[in-house]
Amino acid sequence: MQVQRVVLNSRPGKNGAPVPENFRVEETTLVPDLKDGEVLVRTLCLSVDPYMRCRMNEDTGVDYVAPWQLSESVDGGGVGVVESSRCTTCSEGGVVTAFNWPWQTYAVMKGSVLQKVDPQLVDGHLSYLLGAVGMTGLTALLGIREKGNVIQGANQTMVVSGAAGACGSIAGQFGRLDGCVRVVGICGSDEKCRALVDDLGFSAAINYRQEDVPTRLKDHCPDGIDVYFDNVGGAISDTVIAQMNKDGHVILCGQISQYNKDVPYPPPLSEEIHETLRRKNITRERFMVLNYMHKAEAALCELSQRVKSGQINVLETVVNGIENMGDAFCSMMKGGNIGKQIIKISE
Ligand code: NDP
């Protein structure tokens, strides 16, 4: 059968923004001759994520993901449907998901890497399995629960950077549900600020491209900042940390502002910020959702219930067509998305 796939065409280099031309769409022939344990899947939707930026380098610099190889299929989070199966645990017509789904319209995969999912978990919104009821939802929820020290009734203020993205938009809502009296988001456009306040219940939002972040933080956080969910790092995070209260907690989720630079992860902090953390006894431990997979099942149940009951609102930016994968990835890296960036491959 003829299938379309996306391969890595070129590497952006460790310093530099990725461009759509780093990816190439190809037609290829797939022989759906299944061996024992294999499954033919049709791809429904795919995820693009910031961590993929390091997979574009020859060396990812981290031990938990491997680099993509030139002219080979790119892969990441995906959801699809089983078309035919020689695997006892995957039945035809079933919905499945995987972390290493090839960017292909159809693929032969090992049944052992696929997780079966009940579409009821997301009321049929299967793309949520890649976002709010998937990895980014887990990251937000577990990040807060493991590293945030949010306590009901403790009068805490939370700040979220990258607040209108997949993780940030859920993190802010959990900050409020878990008991923060004030949740302030930092993001890159007025439209995003409006969505945070009007649709997601943030107390206030700051457009870091237009507004003076230190001043606006002081305005919106009159009692200082107790918990910081950090998705971006760099100057924004330095500014937030400088305004944090004694005994505060930074949830070190991601540092996207540094991903197009040749720096280690997490990028080194200035001596001044180190000194602030020390002096104010602020914790800033690295959070990696992959280290908490033993808590994923219970957390996914909670995410599913909160989304279905309307306690958590889900924002998505959806584009259609495998030919747009490269564009969608590069756009997400520059802030083109509100909520989770999804690429719909088939109905
Ligand atoms: P998002 O949906 O948040 O998309 C990325 C967003 O980052 C963009 O929309 C953009 O929004 C913002 N951004 C890009 N460049 C900059 C910059 N220079 N300064 C400030 N903001 C910028 O992606 P995810 O929710 O998937 O990921 C968010 C973060 O969480 C990333 O750092 C990622 O690596 C991390 N992560 C960590 C995990 C873990 O286990 N620790 C797991 C999953 C994700 P804007 O318009 O606001 O600029």
Side-chain angles (χ1 to χ4, degrees):
M1 67 196 291
Q2 284 303 105
V3 303
Q4 284 179 300
R5 66 172 190 163
V6 179
V7 300
L8 188 66
N9 189 44
S10 57
R11 299 188 190 277
K14 282 192 165 183
N15 284 301
V19 291
E21 294 70 34
N22 293 135
F23 300 94
R24 185 173 78 235
V25 184
E26 293 181 345
E27 290 272 332
T28 179
T29 306
L30 184 72
V31 186
D33 243 353
L34 300 180
K35 299 192 196 75
D36 271 349
E38 285 184 342
V39 174
L40 173 68
V41 289
R42 174 164 56 88
T43 308
L44 295 174
C45 40
L46 293 170
S47 175
V48 286
D49 298 85
Y51 79 88
M52 292 172 171
R53 176 63 186 84
C54 73
R55 301 194 69 186
M56 300 181 85
N57 296 336
E58 239 162 291
D59 171 6
T60 61
V62 292
D63 53 13
Y64 53 88
V65 278
W68 288 327
Q69 298 304 321
L70 288 172
S71 295
E72 287 187 12
S73 255
V74 166
D75 64 281
V79 176
V81 64
V82 175
E83 293 280 310
S84 54
S85 173
R86 285 193 60 186
C87 168
T88 47
T89 54
C90 297
S91 44
E92 250 177 62
V95 174
V96 287
T97 168
F99 298 130
N100 292 97
W101 198 287
W103 290 9
Q104 288 185 197
T105 48
Y106 288 81
V108 171
M109 294 177 74
K110 282 197 183 117
S112 56
V113 306
L114 298 169
Q115 290 99 50
K116 281 193 294 184
V117 273
D118 177 359
Q120 283 304 316
L121 203 63
V122 287
D123 268 345
H125 289 282
L126 296 179
S127 57
Y128 289 6
L129 297 166
L130 300 175
V133 189
M135 277 311 238
T136 53
L138 282 175
T139 304
L141 173 58
L142 293 173
I144 288 177
R145 297 277 167 82
E146 296 296 325
K147 304 288 184 193
N149 289 267
V150 174
I151 301 160
Q152 286 282 356
N155 209 30
Q156 289 164 308
T157 294
M158 175 187 277
V159 169
V160 182
S161 58
C167 293
S169 60
I170 305 294
Q173 296 183 78
F174 269 107
R176 178 172 44 80
L177 286 170
D178 281 5
C180 291
V181 290
R182 195 176 283 111
V183 178
V184 176
I186 305 176
C187 61
S189 76
D190 289 344
E191 188 192 357
K192 292 183 181 190
C193 287
R194 266 194 301 278
L196 292 183
V197 175
D198 295 346
D199 304 332
L200 305 183
F202 280 61
S203 321
I206 301 168
N207 175 351
Y208 72 86
R209 293 185 206 270
Q210 298 284 338
E211 300 181 79
D212 183 61
V213 180
T215 309
R216 301 303 284 157
L217 273 176
K218 285 206 183 86
D219 295 343
H220 292 308
C221 307
D223 299 327
I225 298 158
D226 303 293
V227 184
Y228 174 39
F229 195 103
D230 185 7
N231 284 310
V232 307
I236 291 175
S237 293
D238 290 356
T239 302
V240 177
I241 290 169
Q243 294 193 25
M244 285 184 74
N245 293 331
K246 200 167 171 294
D247 302 326
H249 302 280
V250 179
I251 302 156
L252 176 47
C253 176
Q255 305 274 283
I256 193 170
S257 72
Q258 308 299 304
Y259 291 176
N260 291 327
K261 296 179 189 168
D262 186 8
V263 290
Y265 189 86
L269 295 174
S270 68
E271 190 40 50
E272 196 184 335
I273 295 297
H274 269 303
E275 174 51 26
T276 304
L277 294 171
R278 263 195 307 269
R279 185 166 40 83
K280 293 189 181 172
N281 191 36
I282 297 168
T283 66
R284 183 179 177 272
E285 289 166 10
R286 185 169 172 184
F287 171 74
M288 276 274 299
V289 71
L290 294 177
N291 293 339
Y292 296 90
M293 283 300 119
H294 55 291
K295 299 194 175 178
E297 200 179 324
L300 286 171
C301 278
E302 176 169 354
L303 288 162
S304 161
Q305 280 160 11
R306 302 268 198 185
V307 169
K308 283 194 198 184
S309 67
Q311 289 174 299
I312 292 278
N313 284 335
V314 181
L315 301 179
E316 288 186 328
T317 299
V318 181
V319 303
N320 288 306
I322 197 160
E323 66 282 7
N324 293 315
M325 290 299 299
D327 278 324
F329 172 73
C330 297
S331 163
M332 177 277 300
M333 291 298 291
K334 290 186 296 196
N337 57 310
I338 298 192
K340 175 70 190 145
Q341 179 69 61
I342 293 291
I343 302 83
K344 201 166 168 191
I345 307 299
S346 67
E347 289 296 334

